[in-house]
Amino acid sequence: MEPHENTGHPRRWGILGVLVISLLVVVLDNTILNVALRTLADPVHGLGASQGELEWSINSYTLVFAGLLFTFGVLGDRFGRRRFLLIGLVLFGLASLLSAYAQDPGQLIAARALMGVGGAAIMPVTLSIISNVFDPRERGRAIGVWAGAVGLAVAIGPILGGALLEHYWWGSVFLINVPVVAAGVVLVALLVPESRDPRPGRVDLLGVLLSVVGLVALTYGIIDGGEHGFDRPVVWASIVGGLAVLAWFVAHERRSEHPSLDVRLFRVPHFAAPVAIVGLIFFAAMGVMFFSSFYLQLVRGYSPLQTGLLFLPFAGAQLIFAPRSAAMVRQYGGKAVAVVGLVLTVLALGAFAFVDASTPIWVVLVFFFLQGAGMANIMPPATESIMSALPREKAGVGSAVSNTVRQVAGALGVAVLGSVLSAVYREDIASAVDGLPAPAREAANESISGAYAAAGQLGPAAPKLIAAANDSFVSAMHWAAALSAVVAALGILIVLRWMPGRGAGAPAPPPGGGETGLGRTAKGRR
């Protein structure tokens, strides 16, 4: 073979376009849901969901998604990535229908969990197929486009969700997935080639069970503690039990000959550092996105459509910078690009600790833009570093690890930062609602959405309650934003200490099949 021959698939760029459509449906759903949270909390126009139920409507999806990614990555490698992509799209579409017509928050949470099963079949195989059809020298650019598609979904999702909520009922934000799924199924069937791992791993059923049980128990304890207080034994039993099960999971994975998560991979900086960065950033960012929707729609009084449009600077920055990040990494090195991206993200997240009800909205938009620009220069180099650390036929492993960490961290970010938000809000508003009737007091204590619903029944006392709820929410938002910035700042330390510098973390893997020491470890493990 000639040294400069391109080993990629002849239709690789068309295939990438199809994979982007498949990816859009997964990412679109969560970005649309962020705008719909306020409506879902409304007892008249939505489902009357509590803040804990809203958090679970997000986390039931992400936890199931994360728990099954490893298994579905292995199954896709074994039985065919194209086949699993098709199965995932169909299942995601059917679950979207169930979500759209849910009659109460419990049904929505269950349908969202089923959507997580479909998403888990879709996400890992998209990156696996990219690694399979692209030459290693083009892989960085392709992953940049893939990451840019996330930015596109972030841009489309809130605006589309806001427009739907302006004209239709809340279920339309899930129903919109169906035509996207239909288009994806047709295009995948026509264009995407089938591929498999010639030496697929075995399915680690115990590992999957332990990871899901541990994560759900831990997240339940955090969310329930934030909603009802951390002074109850059941909360700490859930948190400690979840951590114990996760410790069992790690011990099991270390001994297993066919682990769903090979924890030995985390000994290699080329792999472990970018995985840690992805986790920290999504922990911080997802929590901020959760409370931003309530801030814009309630405290600032914007409609769902206006709120969607206000997220455009974040999405626009993703679209501008993500496709260019591979070139930046080639010129300056992955370490330098990641540090700059992390600094911008930390500044943007920390800035929300100083935002209040009277902050000019253009200032908030600048913060959104900085956050988008920062994350756009973190995700592609981190993802490429993870993927290039493994040989091409083991792409499912890298894809599953990257996406599992991202989803788990995002779920925990919503749970932890949402709990901080709830706890501080309840403490601040307690004195302001003491004299209210019991039903109004309970609703106002539960969340800012509950306070607004209660205010509608109070007549002349309503403005005072709304002002107290806004002040309490903004104070709680400051604490949550400060914590998110601290978490993201840990990523800077990790990059400076452990992420490979220029040359070591270049997008194109070294000659000889694209294997680093990690690639050989992964390939050679039993």
Side-chain angles (χ1 to χ4, degrees), residues 89-262:
L89 285 168
V90 171
L91 186 58
F92 195 93
L94 292 174
S96 296
L97 280 174
L98 294 176
S99 297
Y101 293 101
Q103 300 300 303
D104 57 53
Q107 290 182 15
L108 177 62
I109 290 167
R112 290 275 300 157
L114 186 59
M115 291 175 72
V117 178
I122 295 169
M123 180 68 87
V125 296
T126 59
L127 270 178
S128 298
I129 293 169
I130 286 174
S131 293
N132 189 68
V133 301
F134 278 90
D135 185 280
R137 291 164 296 183
E138 291 183 323
R139 192 185 300 153
R141 184 181 169 198
I143 290 176
V145 173
W146 180 90
V150 175
L152 179 62
V154 171
I156 295 173
I159 298 170
L160 181 59
L164 289 169
L165 290 171
E166 293 268 325
H167 297 96
Y168 305 102
W169 99 114
W170 62 265
S172 61
V173 302
F174 297 107
L175 205 58
I176 194 65
N177 292 334
V178 176
V180 182
V181 164
V185 167
V186 172
L187 291 172
V188 168
L190 292 176
L191 294 177
V192 176
E194 188 59 280
S195 61
R196 293 177 175 84
D197 185 343
R199 293 183 298 278
R202 292 166 60 191
V203 178
D204 178 20
L205 292 178
L206 177 59
V208 172
L209 180 64
L210 291 175
S211 65
V212 173
V213 170
L215 287 170
V216 170
L218 175 62
T219 305
Y220 173 81
I222 294 170
I223 292 176
D224 192 59
E227 190 171 11
H228 301 295
F230 285 91
D231 55 349
R232 295 169 301 128
V234 66
V235 170
W236 288 105
S238 181
I239 292 173
V240 173
L243 290 173
V245 172
L246 291 175
W248 182 10
F249 167 74
V250 172
H252 167 72
E253 296 302 286
R254 292 183 66 180
R255 294 191 304 267
S256 175
E257 294 185 355
H258 50 92
S260 59
L261 170 60
D262 189 347

Side-chain angles (χ1 to χ4, degrees), residues 32-45:
I32 285 180
L33 184 58
N34 279 330
V35 176
L37 290 174
R38 165 71 184 95
T39 304
L40 288 170
D42 191 306
V44 177
H45 301 102

